[in-house]
Structures are given as structure tokens and as C-alpha cells.
Amino acid sequence: MDTGIEDTAHNVEAGAVMGLLAARPRLLALGEPTHGEDMLLDLRNELFRQLVEQEGYRVIAIESDCLMGLAVDDYVTYGTGSLDDVMEHGFSHGFGASAANRDLVRWMRAHNDGRPASDRLRFAGFDGPLEITGAASPRQALTALHGYLAARVDADLLPCTADTLDRLFGADDRWAEPAAMMDPARSVGRSAEAGELRLLADDLAALLDAQAPHLAAASSRDEWDRAGLYGRTAVGLLRYHYWMADTSPGRMARLVGLRDAMMADNLLAAAEQSPVLVHAHNAHLQRDKSSMRTWQGPVEWWSAGALVSTRLGEGYAFLATALGTIRHQQVDTPPPDTVEGLLYALPGDRRLVDAPRLAAALGDTRPAPRVPAYFGYAPLDPAHVGGIDGIVFVKDVPRS
């Protein structure tokens, strides 16, 4: 199939990315079709450096626990703690073990050293405290929000005391019960205590909003931003736990949708500071509806990228990464009639392709969907090409 797309393929560089877009986006999303490959993270790191130096980007947000990520941000911004500690405790999903993530954190700390606060790079995890099989206790987020408010507003305005919260939380391990993902009856999300905590979290978050002028003046920008994060996370976690205890057929679709809604809220908050490079799985960043198979059957939901794109319009841009081979995962040369097969024929190991022009060149000709042997790799859906701003194609991914 001759698409002529080789005429629109560029090197993967910040200038070429901006050349595909009508304006510099507040959120530039770079997706990946699989986790755990350091070559893809090295490419992300290099693109972020170029965006910092050439385009004024100052924040990177990755698909990792938003509360754990505060330790990484403290380290890169202020030098708090040690590199070893933040790599061990500042990432979820095992991402702290990545050499490329370590390189990113080390480079950000070196870049920030000696710079004024206004010019420092910031790090954000934008996922909720949600691992694949469970969700964290809301204790950390809700206690931090209560403590922030208690130090700055009249006690009469607080809906409860810290002791009341502590009593309602109970043991944290009952919240993080891994069996609750498969068995809703094991979730505490609809207990009387959880219901009361949900109301208190709503009241505390509302108090944060109602006292915004006073609180913003009485806080540093970091304190104010983090209070907002604690509020969003507490409310989101308690909502997530509530639906963990649900037994309806829509349970899993609801849960994955709630996770991405939390992600979207965190990304919108990050974009208020500075232009942001976002890095996560393609499924969390695409504009089209996302889908996956579960033990209860297929589920569909709107991703964080779809939600943010609806809010920001041209302020959001999405680059999807596509791969030729990951031979150590039995992902071999793509069939020539797939999107990846067409891109595999391009010269060069890494190319940036104008996705709308590719979609236009394909016209009514729909490439075949690629069917991978490796469940951890998600190929591009040919039907989604038109909703992508650019495709970063990596021909061959070696073992990390």
C-alpha cells in the first residue's frame, strides 16, 4: 500500500512535534503501547529535555501514584531526601526500578540546582493511589487535607476532628484488601464508616474551595496546590471504594472510568502551572474511547486524554507511540497490511509521522488490526489514527 507518508515522516525532535500542531499545547501527551521498556523511556527523556530547552516546558507527569510522586517532586525541586530513597518510595507500579526513570530524576535534580524557583522543573505522578488489584486507604490524603485546613481556618468551620477521622478509617489493610477487586463483598467501600468518610471528605473539599482567597494568601503555592491534590485524591478514592463494593454489570467500566477521571483532574491541575509533558499508556491518553477485556467481559471508558481534550481543545495534543518489534516478548515483524507494517517500511529507527495526513492518505482503506502474541503490548487501532496528532514509531525495541 503506497500512502506517500514517507514524505511527512520526521526525526523525533521537539521542533518537529511542534511543527505538527497549531499551537504549543498546555498538555502534550506521549503514549506508549507497553510498559517496562527503557528504550521508550529514554526517548521520552530526550524529548522532555528538548521541550524544556526549546519550548518552555517545566513539568513532566507520568502514570504513577500522585501521592508517592510528591517525594520525587521534593527531591528534584529542593533536593529533599536521596535519589535511592525517591526511586524506592516515589513511584508505583514498579516504575522506580527503571534505569531510565532514574536518569530522568537525576537529570531534573541537576538541572534545578541553583536555579530560581520560577525556573525549576517539576515532577508529578498523575495516577490515583490505585494499583491493578486494589485501592489505597484514603487516610493519607484526607488526614493531610484536614491538617492543612485545621492549621489555617477557624476550628468551628471544620466538620470533624482528626480523631474522628482516625476512628472511621480503622485499619488501613482493610481498605487495601486485594481480594475486593474480584469479590465486591470484600470491599469496605459501602460500610457505614466509609459512607461517613465520604460526606466528611466532600465537606472538607468544599471548605477548601469556600476559603480559597484566605488559604491561597496564607499558604505557599506548593502548600495550596498540594491541598487541592489531597482533596481530589480523598474524594476520588472514597468514590472508587464505593464502586468497588458494587455488584452491578457496570462495575468494572465504572472503576476504570473513575481511575481515568482522577487522572484527568490531576493533569488539568498540573497544566495550570506550566506546559506539561505527559507520559502514560496510549489507552489513558487517546481521544477515542478506550477498551479492554476483563474476566467479566469487555469494558469501555473515556480515557484521561479524552476528558482533558474535551476541556482544553487545542491545549491538548496526543502523540501515540507504535512499535515494530519487541522480539524478547515475541512481538515480531508486523504484517505489511497493518499500520505498524506500513510504518516499519519507513527508513530510520525512530520516526515521527503526521497522523492526520496518514489517515487522509489511507482514505477508505482500513489497515488490518495487528494481533500480538504478547498480552502486555497494545497495537494501534487503525480506526483511531485520525484522532492522533502524531505517531512516534520505534522500529525495534531491544531488551532493557
Side-chain angles (χ1 to χ4, degrees):
M1 186 188 303
D2 181 13
T3 65
I5 199 62
E6 61 273 8
D7 296 333
T8 70
H10 312 274
N11 293 329
V12 184
E13 297 172 343
V17 170
M18 293 301 154
L20 297 180
L21 309 174
R24 184 185 70 171
R26 297 292 293 178
L27 288 169
L28 174 60
L30 174 64
E32 62 177 2
T34 186
H35 289 319
E37 301 297 341
D38 268 2
M39 179 183 184
L40 302 184
L41 303 189
D42 288 335
L43 186 154
R44 172 207 66 189
N45 291 353
E46 178 56 32
L47 182 60
F48 181 54
R49 292 187 190 102
Q50 294 176 13
L51 291 167
V52 167
E53 293 165 359
Q54 301 170 26
E55 301 295 338
Y57 281 70
R58 289 293 178 269
V59 181
I60 187 167
I62 75 167
E63 184 188 337
S64 185
D65 185 318
C66 58
L67 298 184
M68 296 176 75
L70 295 176
V72 184
D73 187 51
D74 282 341
Y75 175 75
V76 301
T77 307
Y78 305 111
T80 305
S82 71
L83 180 60
D84 287 342
D85 285 344
V86 300
M87 297 311 299
E88 182 176 357
H89 302 295
F91 293 84
S92 60
H93 305 86
F95 293 160
S98 160
N101 280 335
R102 189 181 185 90
D103 288 343
L104 172 69
V105 173
R106 183 190 294 114
W107 177 78
M108 291 177 70
R109 170 84 285 272
H111 182 279
N112 285 343
D113 192 28
R115 290 179 184 267
S118 61
D119 195 35
R120 291 176 190 164
L121 307 181
R122 305 302 296 258
F123 177 94
F126 74 94
D127 200 354
L130 309 169
E131 289 287 358
I132 300 302
T133 58
S137 165
R139 179 188 297 274
Q140 179 185 355
L142 197 51
T143 299
L145 175 60
H146 185 279
Y148 170 84
L149 290 168
R152 293 168 177 83
V153 303
D154 292 340
D156 291 345
L157 294 176
L158 295 171
C160 65
T161 66
D163 288 343
T164 298
L165 291 179
D166 188 60
R167 173 180 59 80
L168 292 170
F169 289 134
D172 286 343
D173 57 1
R174 71 189 189 120
W175 293 92
E177 168 59 69
M181 179 55 75
M182 302 290 287
D183 182 3
R186 302 291 294 274
S187 170
V188 299
R190 297 195 179 181
S191 65
E193 295 88 351
E196 192 169 347
L197 283 168
R198 243 187 129 182
L199 292 173
L200 291 172
D202 184 70
D203 281 340
L204 288 166
L207 182 59
L208 183 69
D209 288 340
Q211 292 291 314
H214 162 67
L215 293 170
S219 311
S220 69
R221 180 58 194 252
D222 279 359
E223 290 170 335
W224 171 244
D225 286 340
R226 290 187 179 192
L229 172 63
Y230 295 138
R232 293 191 303 274
T233 304
V235 170
L237 274 175
L238 284 160
R239 184 181 294 123
Y240 191 92
H241 279 291
Y242 178 86
W243 288 103
M244 282 276 283
D246 183 44
T247 57
S248 76
R251 176 178 181 263
M252 283 305 301
R254 174 88 68 166
L255 289 175
V256 293
L258 287 174
R259 180 188 177 194
D260 272 71
M262 291 178 70
M263 289 182 169
D265 286 344
N266 287 333
L267 289 178
L268 290 168
E272 293 178 0
Q273 299 182 42
S274 157
V276 182
L277 176 67
V278 183
H279 189 254
H281 198 282
N282 286 332
H284 291 303
L285 301 176
Q286 65 190 36
R287 293 185 176 93
D288 293 278
K289 213 165 194 181
S290 298
S291 63
M292 70 176 181
R293 298 197 65 81
T294 73
W295 61 92
Q296 293 182 323
V299 297
E300 292 186 329
W301 74 100
W302 290 109
S303 75
L307 297 174
V308 169
S309 180
T310 301
R311 292 280 297 275
L312 296 185
E314 289 186 351
Y316 179 78
F318 171 45
L319 306 177
T321 298
L323 308 177
T325 72
I326 324 173
R327 298 191 191 279
H328 57 281
Q329 298 289 10
Q330 289 73 57
V331 179
D332 294 320
T333 304
D337 60 344
T338 62
V339 173
E340 288 87 351
L342 294 173
L343 299 177
Y344 199 77
L346 293 174
D349 296 328
R350 304 178 184 181
R351 304 295 281 168
L352 173 68
V353 173
D354 185 326
R357 289 187 64 179
L358 174 59
L362 292 172
D364 295 331
T365 303
R366 181 66 57 81
R370 190 179 188 186
V371 181
Y374 171 46
F375 75 95
Y377 161 68
L380 280 183
D381 185 332
H384 292 174
V385 172
I388 300 169
D389 296 296
I391 298 172
V392 174
F393 184 71
V394 177
K395 202 163 197 174
D396 301 293
V397 178
R399 186 185 298 272
S400 297

